[in-house]
């Protein structure tokens, strides 16, 4: 399994200060490894088996963010063949 986390916002001013980041993701399991833009689960899964990615998303104090700012965290998971060049 590989997973891509995209952080989307409607605000471009000071993006490094207000853009959601991976550090907001808490409790990522030890069998997940980030390589480039993707998180890879290190072990193959059986049919109908599932795995949790993280336990929570912890948003820091956002009281000083620009009015009307919105953000979204989008997750996209893909099944990849065990043993392929994408499976670590």
């Amino acid at each position: 399994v590989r997973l891509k986390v995209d952080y989307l916002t409607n605000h471009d001013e000071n993006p490094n200060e207000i853009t959601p980041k991976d550090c907001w993701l808490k409790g990522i399991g030890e069998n997940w490894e980030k390589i480039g833009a993707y998180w890879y689960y290190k072990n193959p899964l059986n049919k109908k088996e599932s795995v949790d990615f993280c336990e929570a998303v912890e948003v820091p104090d956002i009281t000083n963010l620009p009015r009307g700012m919105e953000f979204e965290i989008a997750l996209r998971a893909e099944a990849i063949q065990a043993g392929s060049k994408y499976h670590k």
Side-chain angles (χ1 to χ4, degrees):
V1 174
R2 76 176 179 177
L3 181 88
K4 184 158 192 235
V5 182
D6 287 316
Y7 303 100
L8 311 169
T9 181
N10 66 341
H11 202 276
D12 293 327
E13 187 177 320
N14 298 323
N16 292 331
E17 303 271 332
I18 57 179
T19 301
K21 307 211 181 324
D22 284 347
C23 64
W24 291 17
L25 306 172
K26 302 300 178 189
I28 296 173
E30 63 184 39
N31 287 319
W32 288 96
E33 178 182 11
K34 186 161 187 189
I35 301 172
Y38 288 91
W39 289 90
Y40 290 87
Y41 192 67
K42 297 177 186 178
N43 302 319
L45 298 177
N46 295 316
K47 288 183 181 179
K48 308 255 184 194
E49 189 177 5
S50 63
V51 63
D52 291 332
F53 171 61
C54 69
E55 294 176 3
V57 176
E58 187 175 293
V59 179
D61 180 13
I62 58 172
T63 56
N64 61 346
L65 295 181
R67 177 170 289 226
M69 182 191 165
E70 298 174 5
F71 59 85
E72 175 181 336
I73 300 173
L75 306 174
R76 182 181 68 196
E78 300 173 325
I80 57 174
Q81 182 72 32
S84 75
K85 67 179 183 176
Y86 300 109
H87 187 266
K88 305 294 177 204

